[in-house]
Amino acid sequence: MRDLDHRRLGRELGLFDTDPLMGAGLPYWLPDGAVVRHTLEEYVREAERAAGYRHVYSPVLGKRELYELSGHWDHYRDDMYPPMDVGGEQMLLRPSLCPHHALIFRSRTRSHRDLPYRMAELGGMYRSERSGVLGGLTRVRAIQLNDAHIFCTPDQAVEEAAGALALISRAYADLGIRASRHRLSLPGGGGKYVADPALWRRATALLREVLDASGAAYEAVEGEAAFYGPKIDVQITDPAGRESTLSTVQIDFHQPERFGLRHIGPDGARHRPVMVHRSVIGSVERAVAHLLEEHGGAFPPWLAPLQLVVLPVGEEQEEHAHAVVREAAALGLRAEVSGLVEGSLGARIRRARLVPYQAVLGAREAADGLLAVRLRDGRRPGVLPVAEFLRRVEGRVRARGTALWEPA
């Protein structure tokens, strides 16, 4: 069985690494890894914009009073970094983006015409994970979270949560990710959860309605809820059989109450909105780790750090190969020449085994403006004109998804 551990793959492919001087649980991204991360982040932003989300930026620090108000300090402080004294005030690295988004929502007068108000951010958050649980990209101390909060009326909550679940499903199809199961995460015993049984029952009933309408099989599990409300967890399983949560949808009545959030209704009175928390791919770190293991480093074409490699057979074709790469770059493709200095043609093809598209350029192809096309999966679509080949590759990348090739 192949070793699909993302830590080995990430280092072997030059995607990320760590350094003890930076600290445990704080990986850095190398150029190819940064390409994957950037492409994934832009995909999410584009999908969110198309779904009606507005993007914001918020600071990674907040006063201790902010997290006391949200409830994080009372219920989550063991996972937070200790306060820093800054000018006589206690400041904290944020463990979550939701308190900041609640403040952004209440910074302006909101009308019922503004709802649902969908706010999204790819932002940093920080969790004081114990050294013993850190591992590669799956458990880190500095997290880049794909987060969003929808402020809506109670009557809109089910539709908005269902829309978020559908957005997750579309992203999984484009990324080639399979959900192993859906979980309705409920509170357990102890003082970990806010005490308001009526709000818990109400939020749970709405999430059950969302899951039942989706047709997804699910099971209810106690003790896995967020401290402020129940959630739908979309579970994934790695090649070793370990299960984890990648994406979530939550319905929250607690924080709108804590922050005193209001909107003006059609009756002119002030009404309390509901907060739907939603993450399509969860943390970028965990998403990339899972994609590495799911695909064995052979990312979908649109996500691959290098999408096309051009392989000249002889020195005489190298100039032409660079011209092909320039044409590919003009179409937005990530392409490189693998020249003779890198070894024999066979060795270069083997080295490029994870690149989705390989184009061999011999004397005959160079003379006629053609390329001998090879796909990563071993298929050989044949000899194609350069412009046609690049157009078809660009079309597959633009369409996203996991398919390498489509018949003409």
Side-chain angles (χ1 to χ4, degrees):
M1 181 178 177
R2 289 187 302 159
D3 178 7
L4 297 178
D5 188 300
H6 80 276
R7 293 167 295 186
R8 181 193 64 79
L9 286 169
R11 288 175 174 84
E12 180 182 296
L13 300 177
L15 302 181
F16 66 89
D17 214 327
T18 58
D19 192 293
L21 279 178
M22 291 189 192
L26 298 169
Y28 59 84
W29 297 82
L30 294 161
D32 280 354
V35 168
V36 174
R37 172 174 166 168
H38 177 79
T39 305
L40 183 59
E41 289 176 351
E42 284 305 301
Y43 165 78
V44 170
R45 288 192 182 98
E46 182 183 319
E48 288 171 337
R49 284 192 294 269
Y53 289 82
R54 306 289 299 277
H55 289 95
V56 299
Y57 289 106
S58 58
V60 299
L61 288 170
K63 292 169 67 172
R64 174 174 162 173
E65 290 88 340
L66 170 60
Y67 306 110
E68 289 175 338
L69 181 60
S70 69
H72 285 83
W73 185 252
D74 287 339
H75 298 278
Y76 203 73
R77 77 175 75 175
D78 290 345
D79 295 300
M80 296 170 64
Y81 284 97
M84 298 173 280
D85 188 275
V86 181
E89 294 182 326
Q90 287 197 322
M91 305 293 292
L92 292 158
L93 286 167
R94 66 180 175 192
S96 173
L97 280 68
C98 41
H100 296 247
H101 288 188
L103 292 182
I104 293 173
F105 180 83
R106 81 174 193 183
S107 69
R108 302 287 187 274
T109 300
R110 309 290 181 180
S111 163
H112 66 96
R113 296 184 185 88
D114 300 322
L115 306 186
Y117 190 92
R118 306 181 185 104
M119 185 187 304
E121 180 175 3
L122 270 157
M125 67 178 196
Y126 301 84
R127 295 189 176 173
S128 183
E129 300 278 14
R130 299 183 310 278
S131 297
V133 302
L134 297 172
L137 296 177
T138 55
R139 293 293 288 269
V140 295
R141 287 171 168 160
I143 302 164
Q144 192 72 11
L145 186 69
N146 159 230
D147 207 8
H149 298 92
I150 304 165
F151 301 87
C152 62
T153 68
D155 290 344
Q156 295 169 329
V158 167
E159 182 178 356
E160 290 301 312
L165 202 58
L167 194 58
I168 292 167
S169 295
R170 288 197 296 274
Y172 280 28
D174 288 342
L175 291 163
I177 294 175
R178 294 166 293 182
S180 54
R181 67 183 178 116
H182 289 67
R183 183 177 73 192
L184 177 59
S185 295
L186 304 175
K192 179 181 174 182
Y193 306 97
V194 297
D196 196 327
L199 291 185
W200 281 98
R201 287 194 296 270
R202 189 178 180 192
T204 300
L206 293 176
L207 288 180
R208 285 190 184 276
E209 188 176 338
V210 171
L211 284 166
D212 290 340
S214 75
Y218 69 93
E219 57 182 312
V221 179
E222 293 186 355
E224 296 292 341
F227 73 84
Y228 48 78
K231 57 194 175 95
I232 297 170
D233 288 324
V234 183
Q235 301 296 101
I236 55 173
T237 303
D238 69 14
R242 295 180 295 255
E243 186 182 87
S244 59
T245 301
L246 186 61
S247 312
T248 61
V249 180
Q250 307 164 36
I251 291 180
D252 176 11
F253 292 97
H254 172 72
Q255 291 196 68
E257 185 175 292
R258 296 277 291 192
F259 281 93
L261 303 185
R262 297 286 186 181
H263 68 276
I264 308 301
D267 58 358
R270 292 164 63 83
H271 298 269
R272 178 100 57 219
V274 178
M275 241 174 128
V276 177
H277 304 239
R278 180 246 69 191
S279 182
V280 172
I281 59 164
S283 79
V284 173
E285 291 80 9
R286 181 170 289 182
V288 172
H290 186 69
L291 285 165
L292 262 172
E293 295 183 347
E294 181 75 19
H295 299 296
F299 291 104
W302 63 273
L303 194 57
L306 180 61
Q307 294 164 328
L308 165 64
V309 62
V310 182
L311 302 126
V313 174
E315 290 183 9
E316 300 81 3
Q317 291 86 51
E318 291 214 2
E319 184 177 340
H320 193 81
H322 284 286
V324 172
V325 164
R326 288 193 292 272
E327 286 186 55
L331 293 172
L333 299 175
R334 297 185 287 273
E336 290 181 2
V337 173
S338 179
L340 275 71
V341 70
E342 297 178 39
S344 68
L345 180 61
R348 286 180 279 150
I349 288 172
R350 288 192 295 274
R351 191 177 299 116
R353 68 191 183 283
L354 298 180
V355 179
Y357 306 102
Q358 302 168 3
V360 178
L361 184 61
R364 182 180 302 174
E365 288 83 14
D368 295 337
L370 303 172
L371 294 168
V373 178
R374 304 168 64 101
L375 305 183
R376 178 175 59 197
D377 61 9
R379 284 181 290 165
R380 299 189 185 190
V383 178
L384 298 173
V386 171
E388 179 186 344
F389 169 64
L390 294 181
R391 176 183 56 79
R392 292 178 68 173
V393 171
E394 190 267 340
R396 289 311 314 150
V397 169
R398 184 166 21 88
R400 301 202 173 94
T402 58
L404 280 174
W405 197 253
E406 294 293 336

